[in-house]
Amino acid sequence: MSTTADPGAAARHTGVWLHGVVAEADPATLAGITGIAGTPVRTVAAAGLVAVVSDAPLAEYGEEALRRNLEDLAWLERAARSHHAVVDALSRAGAVVPARLATVYRDDDRAARALVERRDELTSTLARLTGREEWGVKGYVVPGATPRAEEPAGGGGAGAAYLRRRRAQLTGREEGQRVAAEAAATVHTALAGYAVTARRHAPQDRRLSGAATAMVLNGAYLIERDRLAAFSALIGALADRHPEIRLELTGPWPPYSFVAEPGTEPQPVGEAA
């Protein structure tokens, strides 16, 4: 007995993962970029905007599957890396509004509808990002860069002397953290004054940063592309002025810190109209 294949079956089982929105997409930039499920990236155009997407099997990227997979750290890391690789390639070619991770639509029509509904917001954001890049500056405590607390004198034997030394060490460490935090605030203010706009994120835990000492500054700065050299020189001058913290410039990054809040991003596949 013969059967006739349903031409719409594959489409019903495949969603559309949104990587980012651009004003226009150069085919040369998109060539060879792999999307979220190992499929080539492609575009959906509407309202004078271009959504860069990749096909995502709903068995893994549908609403229920995403709810489960987003709790799997290994899966989440793989998805985040794939998503970021596309957004990073787009950002190096020009302005891009990165999509929130796991923004999936049921089909191209729904992705296009989101572009129409958010046209004014997306167009404004792209204009603000054009010619600019996000750079990060991290600041870490430098042990011993602040004056050591004097060890208090006193008797009481070896046990008491140990406790006094320990108390002095803790006091010195707390003072070092306080001075470093004040320096970080001063540095951020100076860098923010130079940037188009800036955001100060919460410091990363040492297990995540991989640094030997505590992070006291985790700043993001939107910089004009042609002013990067001067921005880097400013960081050097601030580092000389504040030896109590070690400054590290990172980037350029896609402008994750300077796009709309997640709540205004397109809704996941299960909620998309």
Side-chain angles (χ1 to χ4, degrees):
M1 181 177 67
S2 64
T3 60
T4 301
D6 179 358
R12 288 198 298 272
H13 291 84
T14 303
V16 178
W17 179 291
L18 177 64
H19 293 283
V21 177
V22 296
E24 57 183 22
D26 182 355
T29 299
L30 302 182
I33 301 179
T34 301
I36 192 65
T39 58
V41 296
R42 58 186 182 83
T43 61
V44 175
L49 297 166
V50 178
V52 178
V53 304
S54 56
D55 294 330
L58 294 181
E60 183 174 356
Y61 300 97
E63 181 182 17
E64 292 185 9
L66 279 177
R67 188 179 297 114
R68 179 180 63 254
N69 288 331
L70 289 173
E71 298 297 323
D72 182 338
L73 293 182
W75 184 95
L76 182 60
E77 181 179 1
R78 288 195 302 272
R81 287 183 181 276
S82 296
H83 179 69
H84 172 74
V86 177
V87 175
D88 185 58
L90 295 174
S91 70
R92 294 181 185 278
V96 56
V97 179
R100 180 179 58 178
L101 185 69
T103 299
V104 183
Y105 294 103
R106 290 192 183 278
D107 52 40
D108 286 8
D109 288 344
R110 288 170 173 79
R113 187 188 309 170
L115 294 180
V116 173
E117 292 173 350
R118 300 182 62 209
R119 178 185 180 281
D120 291 345
E121 170 205 338
L122 290 167
T123 300
S124 175
T125 301
L126 285 169
R128 179 165 48 86
L129 297 175
T130 297
R132 296 162 176 169
E133 296 175 325
E134 176 174 333
W135 288 82
V137 177
K138 301 183 187 301
Y140 302 92
V141 175
V142 176
T146 55
R148 289 188 176 183
E150 294 185 5
E151 183 177 330
Y162 169 79
L163 290 176
R164 287 196 298 272
R165 287 195 302 272
R166 183 60 177 159
R167 190 158 46 242
Q169 290 171 352
L170 292 175
T171 300
R173 186 178 306 165
E174 291 171 357
E175 176 66 7
Q177 289 279 359
R178 183 189 66 78
V179 172
E182 290 179 353
T186 299
V187 167
H188 176 70
T189 298
L191 295 177
Y194 184 90
V196 175
T197 186
R199 298 189 75 174
R200 188 171 180 183
H201 300 297
Q204 294 175 330
D205 183 270
R206 205 176 302 178
R207 290 168 296 182
L208 182 61
S209 71
T213 60
M215 181 186 293
V216 288
L217 175 62
N218 186 14
Y221 308 90
L222 190 64
I223 304 297
E224 300 282 359
R225 289 178 188 265
D226 59 1
R227 301 188 69 191
L228 176 61
F231 183 68
S232 181
L234 175 59
I235 294 172
L238 290 168
D240 291 340
R241 200 177 307 159
H242 299 282
E244 58 271 31
I245 57 176
R246 176 175 63 84
L247 299 179
E248 177 183 298
L249 176 66
T250 68
W253 302 104
Y256 295 115
S257 300
F258 304 107
V259 298
E261 292 300 316
T264 64
E265 290 288 344
Q267 295 299 311
V269 60
E271 303 172 31

